[in-house]
Amino acid sequence: MSGSVTLTEKVWRVVLYVAATAGFVFLVAPILAIVPLSFNDGQFLTYPLRGLTLRWYENFFFSGTWMFSIRNSLIIGVCAALIASVLGTLAAIGLWLAEFPGKRLVGAFLLAPMIVPIVIYSVGLYFYFAPWNLTATHLGLILAHAVLGAPFVLITVGATLSGFDRTLIRAGQSLGATPIQVARHVVFPLIAPGVVFGGLFAFAVSLEEVITVLLIGGPNQRTLPREMFSGIRENISPTIAAAATIMIVLAILLLVTAELLRRRSAKLRSG
Amino acid sequence: MVETSQEGPRAARSLKRSLARAERRRKLRAFLLVLPLILFVLAFFAAPIIGMLERAVVDRDLMQAWPRTAEAVKAHDWSEAEVPGEEVFAVLGPELASSFEARTAAGVARRLNYDLDGGRSLVMNTARSVARLDETPPAWRDAILEIEPRWGEPATWTAIRRAAGPVTDFYLLQTIDRQRVADGSIASVPRERAIYLQIYGRTFAIALSVTLLCLAIGFPIAYLLASLPANRANLLLILVLLPFWTPLLVRTAAWVVVLQEQGLVNQMLQFLQVTDRPIRLVYNRTGVIISMTHVLLPFMILPLYAVMQTVPPHYMRAARSLGAPPFTAFRRVYIPQVMPGIAAGSILVFIIALGYYITPALVGGASDQMVSYYIAFYTTDTVNWGLAGALGAGLLAATLLLYTVYSRLVGGVRGVM
């Protein structure tokens, strides 16, 4: 069998490797290409580099507008992720605990924010928030981003729970624990990685969301992606490259954390 | 003996009842845990969207400013005369004046302007002049026609009839380049106003191109990942997940930089002597399709990879040992097995691509904007909310329809990730 590798098969394998390598280059190269340009000592975002400098990072960290946007992003992202985590985790536990009529429909409804185009949602909020004076407020954006993040918590916690041994709950109850004690000492430690993972996901969703900010944010709610949006549209400067590099580093940190959490929860499930 | 035989069923019944009660309590407790999120999503997601869709069919501007005119227009027998007589003008005249003083005429003017070229100035000029009349004219029809002869044209009255409210299909029909004409039937709009089917067509075309490109680039990547041992596949998977976790705006900025005239791609093409002058790759359709393909590629690779992992290699080996040439074995044995992954990935990418806004807005030109762009544009720039709602309804319907197909394919919740 192994001796019967024909020439066509070899050609096919080479074609596969070349195509896949080209695909990987396409995925990663543009993201990595912007990083060196953030250290380039020149006004233009072009290669070859004209020498190294940190002044674009200086521009970034000492500029009032960029720092203000980071602060806004953190406030909105953290609050939205917290709301999404609490509501999403409770709902995931409820959906897992028991069958009730219409459960499939409820699940589909709760995942809808992931599917509906964000422009439609944002325009809806544009009208809906106006009479409540929630347009151009932090609270408005926090609520909007919490809605967008909650489905991700629902999915990650749901996935963790699907590998959860239900007899552990009965064991806890039979030993005389109250439902709250069971939740605190049995359920929560086991699903904690899923909750944190979901929360990170919700935070990442808020950190990259810009359409809601464009439509219902005011000048006081300019977030990091909103600032980048204007930067790219008006005049793409090396400071944008610095901001992009910082966000890529953040993305790598999130990716690593998520991967560690996934491994931990996989170990818990198998152990 | 008699007592126990009666107690047995009774105890069983009460046990059954208390079990049922416990089961009901359990269900209720489970539901109560889900309830907060249901209420949250209802209040801050479903309600705003329903409110937006409502704007596509609600039409109250004219009715609120000119209530009696709206009634008169509905009561008039239009088969008799396309321009009504004094009885309608006699109602319109005083309401023109009063709406000018109450500042509600501007709303009617804006609404008629959506439908009728110059509708805004027609309403505002007439209302201003009528409000300044010293005394009630003996014949309103003649007086109004003297101020603005366009009140004598059938087109003006057709537009007023379409705006008489309280509900309308005007905006929904407009998004498919149709309108109601004088006799109430549906017809195409004049050529210069027929732009929306083209926008929908462009949106579908871009989404389809991006989906096919994602499939073409994603398939070999997923295939390679699935054929490698797990630890090496996991390492390569990082190259897929890194772009997935990198914010959209960073990736868009990266593409603007790489594709610009002095960017890396153009430098490389010139170095390889493919071209001697920079090619325009950004702020046009090419740029939009390249960057959207990059953004959506992980959504194709991940479901494809998930399905390919489950395909046992011995089917292909069996086909080969039975004498099938490699390509035939691939086409007739492998592809049918990974078809669910191809379908799921393609529909997912297509759904997300349909609603895209940011990437075309930043990397595209004026003729590369998709439906989402116009929804935002009509909301914030031209304040034509009915049209924004109607375009939103179309986009939402397409999205939900495709999502239903998608969840049938992958079985709901678990397939989304």
Side-chain angles (χ1 to χ4, degrees):
Chain A
M1 272 300 297
S2 58
S4 71
V5 177
T6 58
L7 185 66
T8 25
E9 257 177 349
K10 270 187 198 151
V11 172
W12 269 109
R13 197 158 299 162
V14 171
V15 169
L16 169 70
Y17 275 96
V18 171
T21 310
F24 282 124
V25 170
F26 174 71
L27 272 171
V28 179
I31 297 175
L32 296 184
I34 203 169
V35 174
L37 290 173
S38 68
F39 298 101
N40 182 24
D41 195 5
Q43 277 295 333
F44 300 104
L45 287 163
T46 52
Y47 285 99
L49 301 183
R50 291 157 182 257
L52 298 178
T53 177
L54 283 176
R55 72 182 148 120
W56 308 120
Y57 287 88
E58 221 175 281
N59 262 4
F60 180 83
F61 283 109
F62 289 98
S63 115
T65 47
W66 283 107
M67 283 303 107
F68 182 63
S69 70
I70 288 189
R71 218 193 59 157
N72 280 332
S73 274
L74 286 179
I75 294 174
I76 293 168
V78 169
C79 295
L82 282 176
I83 297 176
S85 302
V86 172
L87 295 179
T89 304
L90 289 179
I93 296 174
L95 286 175
W96 170 77
L97 263 184
E99 293 294 324
F100 51 81
K103 183 169 147 176
R104 265 187 70 92
L105 203 70
V106 168
F109 174 69
L110 296 180
L111 290 183
M114 240 170 34
I115 313 304
V116 172
I118 298 183
V119 160
I120 294 180
Y121 176 45
S122 306
V123 169
L125 286 178
Y126 179 88
F127 302 123
Y128 188 68
F129 275 173
W132 298 19
N133 290 326
L134 279 172
T135 24
T137 63
H138 279 75
L139 180 61
L141 280 173
I142 289 170
L143 292 172
H145 288 188
V147 166
L148 293 174
F152 292 95
V153 180
L154 196 64
I155 288 175
T156 52
V157 177
T160 317
L161 282 168
S162 70
F164 185 98
D165 188 355
R166 277 163 206 261
T167 48
L168 289 175
I169 291 189
R170 258 170 261 144
Q173 282 169 335
S174 71
L175 290 170
T178 63
I180 292 178
Q181 281 173 321
V182 171
R184 223 181 100 190
H185 298 291
V186 181
V187 181
F188 195 74
L190 283 169
I191 63 167
V195 175
V196 177
F197 185 26
L200 276 180
F201 227 121
F203 179 72
V205 166
S206 166
L207 195 63
E208 85 154 27
E209 223 313 290
V210 66
I211 303 177
T212 45
V213 185
L214 282 169
L215 274 150
I216 61 166
N220 284 326
Q221 286 78 40
R222 285 178 79 99
T223 57
L224 195 50
R226 176 70 184 83
E227 211 59 59
M228 288 195 72
F229 182 83
S230 325
I232 300 170
R233 176 166 261 190
E234 283 142 29
N235 161 38
I236 180 156
S237 71
T239 312
I240 298 272
T245 305
I246 290 167
M247 289 184 92
I248 293 170
V249 172
L250 258 175
I252 294 175
L253 287 178
L254 280 175
L255 170 65
V256 170
T257 320
E259 184 58 25
L260 291 178
L261 283 170
R262 199 185 59 80
R263 287 203 182 149
R264 196 181 122 83
S265 113
K267 204 158 55 182
L268 276 176
R269 216 179 299 173
S270 62
Chain B
M1 279 303 278
V2 177
E3 273 183 36
T4 44
S5 69
Q6 273 192 338
E7 215 159 66
R10 200 182 299 155
R13 254 205 312 278
S14 84
L15 182 65
K16 217 164 150 190
R17 215 177 295 138
S18 71
L19 268 176
R21 199 162 48 227
E23 181 59 23
R24 260 204 311 278
R25 253 209 312 271
R26 216 165 63 87
K27 279 184 186 172
L28 183 69
R29 205 158 51 212
F31 182 72
L32 284 180
L33 285 172
V34 191
L35 193 62
L37 186 59
I38 295 178
L39 293 178
F40 188 66
V41 174
L42 270 178
F44 294 111
F45 182 76
I49 289 178
I50 291 168
M52 187 223 184
L53 296 178
E54 229 177 42
R55 283 173 198 271
V57 289
V58 170
D59 197 358
R60 295 220 165 94
D61 289 327
L62 190 141
M63 210 179 92
Q64 275 163 357
W66 302 346
R68 292 177 52 218
T69 308
E71 287 305 315
V73 160
K74 278 179 215 162
H76 182 77
D77 180 8
W78 292 94
S79 58
E80 209 167 81
E82 289 194 326
V83 177
E86 177 66 21
E87 77 285 357
V88 175
F89 276 93
V91 178
L92 173 67
E95 284 193 328
L96 269 168
S98 63
S99 70
F100 185 76
E101 268 139 31
R103 296 176 189 278
T104 51
V108 186
R110 193 185 63 215
R111 169 63 184 86
L112 287 182
N113 206 52
Y114 296 153
D115 197 350
L116 191 70
D117 289 320
R120 188 191 309 270
S121 57
L122 175 68
V123 171
M124 290 315 286
N125 289 345
T126 322
R128 193 179 305 113
S129 307
V130 169
R132 282 184 193 148
L133 289 177
D134 294 327
E135 53 196 41
T136 310
W140 274 106
R141 190 172 196 271
D142 298 338
I144 290 176
L145 282 179
E146 197 179 311
I147 297 167
E148 278 279 4
R150 289 186 67 193
W151 288 103
E153 291 171 12
T156 306
W157 287 98
T158 314
I160 290 178
R161 279 172 65 199
R162 283 198 283 252
V167 289
T168 182
D169 54 11
F170 170 69
Y171 299 111
L172 287 169
L173 287 173
Q174 197 182 354
T175 63
I176 50 169
D177 295 340
R178 298 287 185 277
Q179 63 181 3
R180 277 197 192 279
V181 286
D183 64 356
S185 65
I186 293 169
S188 298
V189 297
R191 245 226 190 115
E192 66 276 9
R193 278 179 173 249
I195 53 171
Y196 299 101
L197 280 181
Q198 196 198 336
I199 291 170
Y200 272 122
R202 178 197 299 163
T203 305
F204 274 88
I206 292 178
L208 190 65
S209 324
V210 169
T211 306
L212 293 177
L213 270 173
C214 280
L215 186 59
I217 302 173
F219 195 93
I221 292 182
Y223 188 86
L224 181 73
L225 286 175
S227 68
L228 289 175
N231 53 344
R232 283 176 61 200
N234 274 339
L235 214 61
L236 280 177
L237 203 57
I238 292 177
L239 298 180
V240 180
L241 291 175
L242 174 67
F244 188 68
W245 281 86
T246 305
L248 175 70
L249 279 151
V250 173
R251 290 196 269 169
T252 310
W255 278 110
V256 172
V257 169
V258 171
L259 293 177
Q260 63 181 325
E261 297 209 339
Q262 294 82 33
L264 271 182
V265 173
N266 263 315
Q267 283 177 334
M268 210 133 58
L269 291 178
Q270 278 166 302
F271 177 76
L272 296 172
Q273 303 201 321
V274 178
T275 169
D276 50 357
R277 241 176 314 172
I279 307 174
R280 207 173 150 77
L281 293 170
V282 79
Y283 308 123
N284 58 15
R285 189 66 59 90
T286 316
V288 171
I289 289 182
I290 293 177
S291 21
M292 279 181 67
T293 303
H294 181 252
V295 173
L296 295 173
L297 194 48
F299 291 99
M300 179 68 84
I301 296 176
L302 296 175
L304 266 181
Y305 173 51
V307 171
M308 285 177 179
Q309 265 182 315
T310 64
V311 172
H314 48 256
Y315 286 130
M316 274 289 270
R317 254 179 262 143
R320 294 281 293 118
S321 73
L322 288 170
F327 186 71
T328 312
F330 177 75
R331 191 170 57 89
R332 305 218 11 212
V333 176
Y334 190 72
I335 293 284
Q337 290 183 85
V338 296
M339 208 53 209
I342 295 177
S346 303
I347 298 178
L348 189 61
V349 168
F350 192 80
I351 291 176
I352 307 175
L354 272 189
Y356 251 56
Y357 170 45
I358 294 299
T359 310
L362 289 175
V363 222
S367 60
D368 308 310
Q369 301 308 319
M370 300 167 73
V371 172
S372 285
Y373 171 85
Y374 293 91
I375 296 174
F377 176 78
Y378 287 124
T379 305
T380 56
D381 290 32
T382 61
V383 206
N384 189 344
W385 292 338
L387 190 53
L391 286 171
L395 178 60
L396 188 63
T399 306
L400 292 183
L401 190 75
L402 285 165
Y403 180 63
T404 316
V405 176
Y406 173 80
S407 53
R408 284 275 157 77
L409 273 174
V410 293
V413 182
R414 301 217 57 206
V416 175
M417 288 299 290

